[in-house]
Amino acid sequence: MKILVTAKRVTDPNAKLVIDDDGSWIDDDVEYILNPFCENAVECALQLAADHDAETIAVGIGDEEVQRYIRQGALARGIDRGIHVEADEQELDSDLIAKILKALVEKESPDLVVLGKQAVDGDSNQVGQLLAEMLGWPQATFASDVKIEGDEVIVTREVDGGLEKLAVTLPAVITADLRLNDPRYASLAGIMKAKRKPLEELELDDLDLDGEEPKVRVVKLHEPTGRSAGVFVADVDELILKLTTEARVL
Amino acid sequence: MPTAPEGDQTLTAQYTKATDPTRAAPPVCPVLCRRPRVSNPSSSNPPSGSGNPLVSDADIRFLLGDVFDVASLLELPAFEAHSVETVDMYLATIRRFSREQLYPAYQLMDRAPPQLIDGRVHVHPLAKKLFAQLVDLGVLTADRSEDVGGFQLPSLVTSAAMLLMMAANLAAVGYVSLTSGAAHLIEVFGDDALRASLMVPMYAGRWAGTMALTEPDAGSSLADLRTAATPTDQGHYLLRGTKIFISGGDQDITENLVHLTLARIDGAPAGIKGVSLFAVPARRPTADGLVYNDVYASQLIHKIGTRGLASVGLTYGDQGDCRGWLVGPENRGMSCMFQLMNEARISVGVEGAAAASVAYHEALAYARARPQGRPMADRDPTSPQRPILVHADVRRLLLRQKAIVEGGIALVLKTAQLADLATHTPDGPERARLGLLLGLLTPVCKSFPAERGLEANSLAMQVHGGYGYTSEYPVESWWRDQRLNSIHEGTTGIQGLDLLGRKVMADRGAAVQVLGGEMTRSVEAAMAIGVEASWCAQLGGALRDVGETTRALGDKAAQGDAAGMLLHSADYLEAFSIVVVAWLWLDMATAAARRLAQTPNAPFYLGKRQAARYYFATELPKAGHLLQLCRDAEPSYGDMQDAWF
């Protein structure tokens, strides 16, 4: 059995992001972390691999620094090997990422792809669904429990009304939710092993995706407008007047 | 509750050092340095939205990268398995584990200390869980030799990791570090059989270990210990006696524990020359499994601090069947123990710096958030109150803490780096030279963070006002924890005697000569980069003062007045510590100046420079006065009589 997982790096949600002068992108002098949902995906893959003797592969897409997050976030935790697809992160959207993953699936033929349900930078929540569609595979998103039984994977999903349990036939795509598991910490032994684990470097060209364009373009980034200062009103009448004439909420 | 980012704070950014003609270009990590983040660390503060950082990430990056140059340390053959990348990853894991797991358990363990029930100590359930996690992470053997299954990381790195862990939860980490230290004794001095039967399960984290030295009537004076060991013809000894203040002396975390015990073989000479070292398992391994070995926790010590770590009295041989195995040669127990005492004393330094650090960060966050009063210029009582940080006196409280905490962290990491170099430097004479310096700094490392750290902890409480002395706020607990550090593992008084009587006076002051050479080199580097000339001159003057005082005290000893030489050993230690930490502040100011040459407005480096300024203005001048007391053999307490009290 073979399991492919994603290891996307995202800007640290605690970090203060600075937008470039021309509003095209963020200043990359910022701390990054592994996407927390990808940590759940990695942990899921490791647990399934332990029970079902599977090979595990982590994929990261972006510039060279992405390798650090593949090693630290995935290989040091126990994922067997990594693949880094070199790409300009400004030139990626969910659609193109799904196409890259599809090409990798065709190259590696995994039985299962586990992704984070979304990345906490763009919050798009699209890649898993797009990938399943492109592959023509069944999908189970927002997983809070995953079990493999025979040629099916039994997934409990977190949905608005509560929990939904699905059986999907392998091969399949699963996206991990936060309550799926508690991701393990990378041990020192794991860190030492990670140094020697294979990490394949691929270009878009290697996947016959050279020249593919993203469908979504960032037009402009800007800071949210700040809240203006409040004013004191003399009495309730003035408040009602302002709510009616200025705020127009009454 | 702290929320920690994934470990992404990288050392590697530090490798692109500011241009410095006196230093060769730092090694570049091939993968990570293609796009160096030269402006990091841009701030000494944790990102908004996070909890207490325990230890500043930026400070650790700065010290390991710029000041102590971990990359060149990793080039030693002993560390060839490691790279900057593995160091980065280990620290990232430890940082996250400390913030997410150790720290949230700290207060719970402090409030529910271990209990002695029916002769067994029961610890907090979280202590058990955390012990297992720490073992899984590899903390137990992180700095141990690969020959015994360790990871052989430099002490510089493991000490930085320990700073984080001990700042988060000293008690939880204590069970692990005690085990590692005890196993290390068997590793170095035990025979193959002992290593196989006792050391292996300890390094695997299945058994724990303790250091059993102190007795009710023999603490600072271990030469007077009375625990007896009677030889048998079966290879083991039978032990009888009582030990006290044994940290981790019993617990229900591991299935077994081994007490590394000092005792006197029947008929051995009196004093230190008759003390031997024994490994005494709580439950001895037999063909039928583990059986009770007639040693038990007879009392539990009720401590004010580090309450989560059980401290017990042990009774050996009530039934005449407590079996111990000799570790190292007969009657050489103290020298075995003291060969590893450096390790233990550096560890206490780390504890002290850690307890001061976590409290400082708590106080800093409080001062930024707590509105109270207005700046002097603002007389409008209807204007909103401002955070207390705006008051000069609160900034005094915080800057003094910063100077102590960051000076203390630099001191323990410097000592750890020297421990690495003095063990692993290939060149023999250089290794010996660095060994002298290590010996000299060890009592300073043991005592400065404990003594000045307690003051910093007290100032952190002060920042909190009345809330500081309530148990609703955590600052009081770190003050309680810190209070133990100037007492255990050799009191400050003992450290003063060790420094002046043993380390300084040995080989006609050879170690002080080495220190002088190092300080002179630091001054030259500082001058070259344009660090304030007055600081350089001040440090040079203080160094001469130490030298003259040391010679004067040496003369006193040469004239047969050893007591007069040692009369002010505690004052000497304090003065010496002030000068050593000033030296480290100069090194930090130099490294900061290199960075400021590139990024003149980076708050982190401006803060370093300001803390150095504070230390040179307010602390270093105190050394002269203390040294004067030493030279004059100022007689007030020397001549004081019992009846006059």
Side-chain angles (χ1 to χ4, degrees):
Chain A
M1 185 167 194
K2 198 188 262 191
I3 304 172
L4 194 74
V5 289
T6 48
K8 182 185 198 290
R9 75 164 193 180
V10 295
T11 50
D12 182 346
N14 286 323
K16 181 161 172 47
L17 301 185
V18 177
I19 295 169
D20 285 353
D21 293 339
D22 61 358
S24 63
W25 201 243
I26 54 155
D27 181 356
D28 68 359
D29 182 14
V30 66
E31 302 294 352
Y32 288 86
I33 63 169
L34 188 69
N35 177 37
F37 294 108
C38 286
E39 294 194 320
N40 295 106
V42 165
E43 181 63 33
C44 175
L46 291 171
Q47 290 180 11
L48 292 175
D51 293 344
H52 300 277
D53 194 26
E55 185 194 12
T56 51
I57 308 161
V59 181
I61 306 168
D63 70 20
E64 202 139 5
E65 286 214 11
V66 163
Q67 293 188 5
R68 170 182 158 75
Y69 299 87
I70 299 173
R71 280 210 197 276
Q72 179 167 321
L75 304 189
R77 285 186 160 109
I79 296 289
D80 297 319
R81 60 187 170 94
I83 298 174
H84 167 221
V85 180
E86 177 87 35
D88 181 350
E89 282 170 67
Q90 280 192 63
E91 298 294 323
L92 290 172
D93 66 352
S94 301
D95 179 72
L96 185 48
I97 291 169
K99 282 178 183 155
I100 293 170
L101 293 175
K102 173 173 179 277
L104 287 173
V105 166
E106 284 162 357
K107 180 172 178 291
E108 293 285 348
S109 308
D111 301 279
L112 188 64
V113 182
V114 189
L115 307 88
K117 71 168 182 180
Q118 68 197 65
V120 300
D121 50 3
D123 273 340
S124 301
N125 188 346
Q126 292 172 338
V127 174
Q129 295 89 330
L130 285 167
L131 175 64
E133 175 62 25
M134 289 176 189
L135 289 167
W137 287 10
Q139 59 176 297
T141 51
F142 316 135
S144 64
D145 189 54
V146 175
K147 283 190 186 67
I148 293 177
E149 291 178 6
D151 62 350
E152 285 186 336
V153 50
I154 312 298
V155 178
T156 306
R157 305 180 63 227
E158 297 196 345
V159 293
D160 285 348
L163 298 176
E164 179 186 53
K165 206 166 183 176
L166 295 181
V168 289
T169 315
L170 290 170
V173 173
I174 293 172
T175 71
D177 214 327
L178 216 50
R179 277 161 292 277
L180 176 56
N181 49 45
D182 291 321
R184 69 193 64 187
Y185 294 88
S187 70
L188 196 38
I191 290 167
M192 298 304 289
K193 278 189 205 139
K195 277 176 68 176
R196 285 184 280 279
K197 287 182 177 173
L199 207 173
E200 187 180 1
E201 294 177 50
L202 295 175
E203 308 270 334
L204 287 181
D205 197 22
D206 300 323
L207 301 171
D208 291 330
L209 290 169
D210 207 23
E212 283 284 336
E213 296 286 324
K215 289 180 176 168
V216 177
R217 293 210 166 274
V218 174
V219 178
K220 194 170 178 57
L221 294 171
H222 63 86
E223 299 260 357
T225 41
R227 286 173 59 173
S228 49
V231 289
F232 284 96
V233 291
D235 50 33
V236 173
D237 290 341
E238 189 188 344
L239 175 65
I240 290 171
L241 184 69
K242 277 184 180 293
L243 289 175
T244 312
T245 59
E246 290 179 26
R248 296 178 190 279
V249 293
L250 292 182
Chain B
M1 292 270 284
T3 54
E6 159 75 352
D8 45 273
Q9 324 264 338
T10 100
L11 281 176
T12 44
Q14 277 327 84
Y15 293 122
T16 46
K17 289 180 192 174
T19 316
D20 170 17
T22 67
R23 291 179 78 147
V28 170
C29 177
V31 176
L32 302 177
C33 282
R34 295 229 174 137
R35 284 199 336 203
R37 295 202 285 264
V38 287
S39 65
N40 264 344
S42 56
S43 165
S44 57
N45 311 321
S48 61
S50 62
N52 190 319
L54 313 172
V55 176
S56 155
D57 296 340
D59 199 29
I60 293 295
R61 276 202 298 277
F62 173 69
L63 290 170
L64 262 54
D66 285 17
V67 182
F68 300 128
D69 196 6
V70 70
S72 69
L73 187 67
L74 292 173
E75 285 169 14
L76 289 178
F79 305 125
E80 67 181 0
H82 295 287
S83 63
V84 171
E85 198 182 9
T86 52
V87 166
D88 242 3
M89 284 161 75
Y90 180 57
L91 289 177
T93 286
I94 293 301
R95 186 180 297 125
R96 189 168 171 181
F97 182 76
S98 297
R99 291 171 186 166
E100 292 178 357
Q101 303 292 329
L102 288 171
Y103 187 51
Y106 166 69
Q107 199 171 54
L108 299 169
M109 288 173 61
D110 178 64
R111 299 220 167 146
Q115 289 183 292
L116 183 61
I117 303 166
D118 298 333
R120 286 301 311 272
V121 172
H122 298 261
V123 302
H124 198 288
L126 285 170
K128 291 183 213 183
K129 177 181 163 222
L130 292 168
F131 184 91
Q133 286 179 301
L134 288 163
V135 170
D136 285 346
L137 286 178
V139 172
L140 187 54
T141 53
D143 59 358
R144 285 294 174 263
S145 160
E146 286 166 0
D147 300 339
V148 293
F151 295 99
Q152 210 162 309
L153 272 169
S155 295
L156 176 61
V157 174
T158 56
S159 297
M162 269 295 168
L163 274 166
L164 280 155
M165 290 186 275
M166 287 181 161
N169 190 335
L170 172 57
V173 181
Y175 294 105
V176 173
S177 55
L178 286 160
T179 300
S180 182
H184 196 190
L185 272 174
I186 301 177
E187 177 193 332
V188 177
F189 301 109
D191 59 24
D192 287 349
L194 276 188
R195 280 202 287 268
S197 63
L198 303 182
M199 179 198 79
V200 168
M202 289 165 83
Y203 275 151
R206 285 189 285 119
W207 297 359
T210 73
M211 301 287 207
L213 286 71
T214 303
E215 298 180 4
D217 296 317
S220 292
S221 179
L222 285 170
D224 292 301
L225 65 83
R226 290 190 303 200
T227 295
T230 305
T232 68
D233 54 10
Q234 294 152 298
H236 62 260
Y237 292 74
L238 292 174
L239 277 83
R240 286 179 320 283
T242 310
K243 296 285 178 183
I244 197 168
F245 298 119
I246 308 307
S247 291
D250 192 26
Q251 31 80 353
D252 54 350
I253 298 171
T254 53
E255 62 173 355
N256 198 8
L257 61 167
V258 181
H259 308 297
L260 274 292
T261 305
L262 289 181
R264 202 177 280 291
I265 297 172
D266 295 346
I272 225 74
K273 293 188 171 72
V275 173
S276 303
L277 178 62
F278 296 89
V280 184
R283 283 162 282 284
R284 61 178 180 255
T286 69
D288 302 325
L290 296 174
V291 299
Y292 174 65
N293 192 34
D294 193 21
V295 53
Y296 67 99
S298 44
Q299 75 179 112
L300 191 64
I301 313 292
H302 301 283
K303 297 180 289 182
I304 62 163
T306 324
R307 287 158 60 89
L309 178 60
S311 179
V312 308
L314 289 175
T315 298
Y316 295 72
D318 258 5
Q319 296 154 29
D321 193 27
C322 175
R323 301 183 192 178
W325 285 264
L326 186 66
V327 178
E330 274 185 30
N331 299 333
R332 299 294 303 280
M334 281 302 279
S335 87
C336 292
M337 197 60 111
F338 271 82
Q339 282 187 46
L340 296 186
M341 195 53 109
N342 279 348
E343 208 171 280
R345 289 185 169 165
I346 293 172
S347 179
V348 176
V350 174
E351 287 176 27
S357 176
V358 62
Y360 161 60
H361 288 292
E362 193 74 18
L364 181 59
Y366 185 82
R368 284 175 170 151
R370 166 76 175 166
Q372 193 80 179
R374 295 162 189 83
M376 289 296 234
D378 183 357
R379 296 292 177 85
D380 176 6
T382 64
S383 68
Q385 297 197 83
R386 301 285 306 283
I388 58 174
L389 190 88
V390 304
H391 305 304
D393 187 58
V394 174
R395 290 200 298 272
R396 173 183 69 86
L397 299 174
L398 291 168
L399 183 54
R400 183 156 182 78
Q401 287 177 70
K402 180 178 167 73
I404 292 169
V405 166
E406 294 178 8
I409 288 174
L411 171 65
V412 299
L413 294 184
K414 176 81 190 178
T415 314
Q417 183 202 32
L418 284 170
D420 291 321
L421 293 170
T423 311
H424 297 297
T425 298
D427 176 47
E430 175 65 0
R431 201 165 58 233
R433 191 183 76 87
L434 294 164
L436 284 176
L437 195 53
L438 171 64
L440 201 58
L441 289 201
T442 301
V444 178
C445 176
K446 160 65 178 72
S447 58
F448 176 91
E451 292 285 346
R452 291 282 72 75
L454 184 70
E455 188 191 340
N457 281 101
S458 190
L459 298 176
M461 283 170 77
Q462 196 76 16
V463 169
H464 282 72
Y467 297 113
Y469 55 72
T470 69
S471 53
E472 310 303 314
Y473 285 75
V475 276
E476 59 84 28
S477 64
W478 296 308
W479 183 85
R480 289 188 280 107
D481 292 347
Q482 183 73 278
R483 190 61 195 84
L484 278 58
N485 288 328
S486 63
I487 298 175
H488 60 187
E489 300 289 350
T491 62
T492 301
I494 295 284
Q495 302 308 315
L497 294 172
D498 178 46
L499 175 69
L500 182 56
R502 197 176 296 144
K503 305 291 177 48
V504 165
M505 290 301 163
D507 293 333
R508 306 172 61 82
V512 180
Q513 297 272 333
V514 175
L515 178 67
E518 294 289 312
M519 284 192 183
T520 305
R521 224 182 308 175
S522 291
V523 166
E524 284 163 6
M527 297 289 278
I529 196 77
V531 170
E532 273 76 349
S534 63
W535 303 350
C536 298
Q538 239 186 305
L539 187 65
L543 179 60
R544 277 191 299 280
D545 205 0
V546 168
E548 281 162 22
T549 306
T550 305
R551 267 191 299 282
L553 293 172
D555 291 347
K556 216 183 276 286
Q559 291 154 16
D561 185 13
M565 188 260 287
L566 291 171
L567 177 62
H568 281 275
S569 55
D571 295 319
Y572 184 89
L573 171 66
E574 188 177 350
F576 195 90
S577 302
I578 289 171
V579 176
V580 165
V581 175
W583 165 47
L584 296 172
W585 267 114
L586 191 73
D587 279 350
M588 287 193 274
T590 301
R594 288 190 186 113
R595 290 282 178 181
L596 285 167
Q598 279 194 337
T599 51
N601 298 318
F604 176 82
Y605 303 112
L606 292 171
K608 277 286 171 197
R609 191 171 71 188
Q610 195 72 359
R613 184 185 308 285
Y614 170 86
Y615 202 83
F616 279 93
T618 66
E619 201 64 13
L620 186 54
K622 294 176 185 170
H625 169 65
L626 291 163
L627 291 168
Q628 185 71 48
L629 295 176
C630 302
R631 279 199 301 276
D632 295 351
E634 192 283 322
S636 55
Y637 47 82
D639 292 349
M640 185 67 184
Q641 303 294 307
D642 183 346
W644 302 348
F645 281 105

